[in-house]
Amino acid sequence: MSPQVTVWFDSSCPLCLREIALMRRLDRRGAIHFVDACDPSGSCPIDRAELLSRFHAEEGGTLLSGAQAFAAMWRAIPLLRPLGLLAGWAPATPIFEAAYRRFLRIRPRLQRLFR
């Protein structure tokens, strides 16, 4: 199976590394292509600093960020697909995005904790 979703991740972030490791274990079908956004030789569809400031994924040729990118990644994994569908449902999307934005505010403290 060829990847359905491309996910860019921050390999300098201990939280990101843990989450991507889990997603790789769950992605038994190989539906996700994971790209290290910190690798200067890796593909980067937008400015690298912008790519690293929020979570990004590409699904069906569309670049997504934040909660929408997480929803795309989750939809590609059968176990998480229901959560991905819920997060992509228009009435629920603002709730997931608000939660993601709150997470971004505490991310630096969590990164220090997990180093």
Side-chain angles (χ1 to χ4, degrees):
M1 171 180 215
S2 63
Q4 301 168 347
V5 175
T6 298
V7 166
W8 287 268
F9 68 96
D10 181 352
S11 64
S12 69
C13 168
L15 292 172
C16 300
L17 287 176
R18 288 173 186 240
E19 180 172 13
I20 294 304
L22 174 62
M23 294 300 121
R24 282 183 166 145
R25 283 193 303 276
L26 294 174
D27 182 27
R28 295 182 181 163
R29 300 179 307 143
I32 304 171
H33 174 64
F34 295 96
V35 178
D36 179 356
C38 293
D39 181 355
S41 66
S43 72
C44 191
I46 59 174
D47 176 69
R48 195 169 306 279
E50 185 179 341
L51 192 71
L52 290 167
S53 70
R54 286 175 57 90
F55 186 70
H56 285 81
E58 182 181 37
E59 180 184 45
T62 301
L63 185 64
L64 306 165
S65 72
Q68 289 183 345
F70 276 101
M73 179 174 67
W74 296 335
R75 283 191 297 270
I77 298 172
L79 180 67
L80 300 177
R81 186 167 172 75
L83 182 61
L85 292 171
L86 176 63
W89 181 49
T93 299
I95 297 165
F96 279 87
E97 183 62 28
Y100 179 70
R101 286 176 187 261
R102 281 192 293 280
F103 163 76
L104 286 178
R105 286 197 301 262
I106 64 168
R107 179 182 174 203
R109 286 176 283 196
L110 291 173
Q111 286 175 322
R112 284 192 298 275
L113 181 67
F114 281 93
R115 285 201 197 277

